[in-house]
Amino acid sequence: SAIDYIWAVLFLILSIEAYVNRKRFLPGILGGIATGFRLGSIFPLTGAFLASSLSQFSTSQIRRFLISASIASLVGLCFYIPSWITHSWVPVGKNVTWLQGQGLVGDQALWTLNMHIGRAVYKPLYLMGIIGDLCILLILFLNFRKLPALLNDKRDLVRASIGGVIGTLFLFAKYPIEYSYLLPILPCFLIIIGSLMNHVRALQPWGLVAASVSFWFLSFPLATPNIPGSATDATL
C-alpha cells in the first residue's frame, strides 16, 4: 500500500483541496511533493488547477494559478536534482533521458497506431470494470437533469476534479501502459459522481459500491490479446 502511486494520489488530492480552498502556498508545496512521488502528477495537477481557475476567470485567478504552479514546479524539481546529479556521473553525460522510462514502453512492434489507440481506449474501461461503467452510465442517466447545475456550481471542487480526470487521460493517451497511471482518476471521478448523487436514494451509491466490489472477482473482457502483457494484436 505504500507504493509511490498511492502516495502521489494522496498529495495530489490534498493539493487540489488546498487550491480550491484558496490557500496561498500550500497547494504548490503539496503538489510539488505529489510530483516528487510521480512525475506524471503534473498532468492531473495542472488540469485541476486550470479548471478551477477558469471557473471564475480573472487576474487574481491567473496569479493564483501561476503562484501554485511555480511553487509545485520548484518543489518537485528538488526531488529530481539528486537523480540528475547521479546520472551525470555515467558516460552518457548530463541529460534527462532517464525521465522518459523507455524500459517500460517495450519494443516498437507493440506500439503500432492501432495498438496504441486500442490500449488508450480499452484500458480505462477496466479501471472500475464493465459492470461499474454500466452503473455509472445509469447514474448519469437517472441524474441527467442535475448535470447543468453541477457544472455551473461556483464551488471549484467539481470543476477541479473534472480537470484532474482530463489531465490524467491526457497523460494516459501518451503512455497507455499501466492501469496504475489512471489512479488519480478514481478520487477525482468519485467526487464528481458523489456530488451528482447528492440527496438521492441510497440505492444509487450503494449500487456503485456493489458494482465496484464485483470487479474483484468478475470481469467481462471485450478483447483478447494475442500475447498477454505484450500484445501486438487483439481480437474483439
Side-chain angles (χ1 to χ4, degrees):
S1 299
I3 195 169
D4 55 350
Y5 296 107
I6 306 299
W7 285 105
V9 171
L10 169 63
F11 282 95
L12 174 69
I13 294 302
L14 291 176
S15 176
I16 293 174
E17 184 178 28
Y19 191 82
V20 299
N21 287 327
R22 302 297 198 278
K23 303 297 182 182
R24 190 170 180 82
F25 301 115
L26 193 58
I29 295 172
L30 294 170
I33 296 173
T35 303
F37 279 114
R38 296 290 305 176
L39 186 61
S41 299
I42 292 174
F43 289 85
L45 200 65
T46 302
F49 285 2
L50 273 177
S52 176
S53 298
L54 292 176
S55 64
Q56 300 175 12
F57 190 74
S58 65
T59 303
S60 62
Q61 292 281 32
I62 296 175
R63 188 186 305 115
R64 186 165 70 101
F65 170 78
L66 291 176
I67 290 174
S68 296
S70 299
I71 294 175
S73 299
L74 290 173
V75 173
L77 182 64
C78 292
F79 287 89
Y80 293 94
I81 288 176
S83 295
W84 181 75
I85 293 174
T86 301
H87 194 74
S88 69
W89 294 343
V90 300
V92 294
K94 293 183 178 181
N95 58 62
V96 292
T97 55
W98 48 275
L99 280 174
Q100 299 175 7
Q102 291 299 320
L104 294 175
V105 174
D107 189 76
Q108 193 63 35
L110 307 177
W111 296 101
T112 61
L113 181 61
N114 285 341
M115 292 307 297
H116 191 117
I117 295 174
R119 286 183 170 93
V121 173
Y122 186 85
K123 288 190 174 184
L125 294 176
Y126 285 86
L127 183 62
M128 297 184 68
I130 296 299
I131 297 177
D133 294 341
L134 293 175
C135 186
I136 289 169
L137 289 175
L138 179 60
I139 289 170
L140 291 174
F141 175 77
L142 294 175
N143 299 278
F144 181 76
R145 294 181 179 179
K146 294 182 180 180
L147 284 174
L150 183 67
L151 294 176
N152 292 324
D153 195 330
K154 294 303 180 184
R155 292 173 299 176
D156 291 337
L157 187 57
V158 171
R159 292 178 183 270
S161 298
I162 293 173
V165 170
I166 294 173
T168 304
L169 289 175
F170 187 84
L171 171 65
F172 197 74
K174 174 63 177 176
Y175 295 107
I177 303 173
E178 298 182 15
Y179 284 106
S180 302
Y181 294 179
L182 295 168
L183 278 179
I185 287 181
L186 281 177
C188 291
F189 190 68
L190 290 176
I191 287 172
I192 301 168
I193 294 296
S195 300
L196 189 64
M197 291 192 298
N198 193 23
H199 304 304
V200 302
R201 295 180 62 182
L203 183 62
Q204 290 184 35
W206 280 113
L208 182 58
V209 171
S212 300
V213 172
S214 72
F215 191 38
W216 296 355
F217 55 87
L218 186 63
S219 179
F220 299 96
L222 299 179
T224 302
N226 61 339
I227 306 173
S230 301
T232 57
D233 193 12
T235 305
L236 293 177

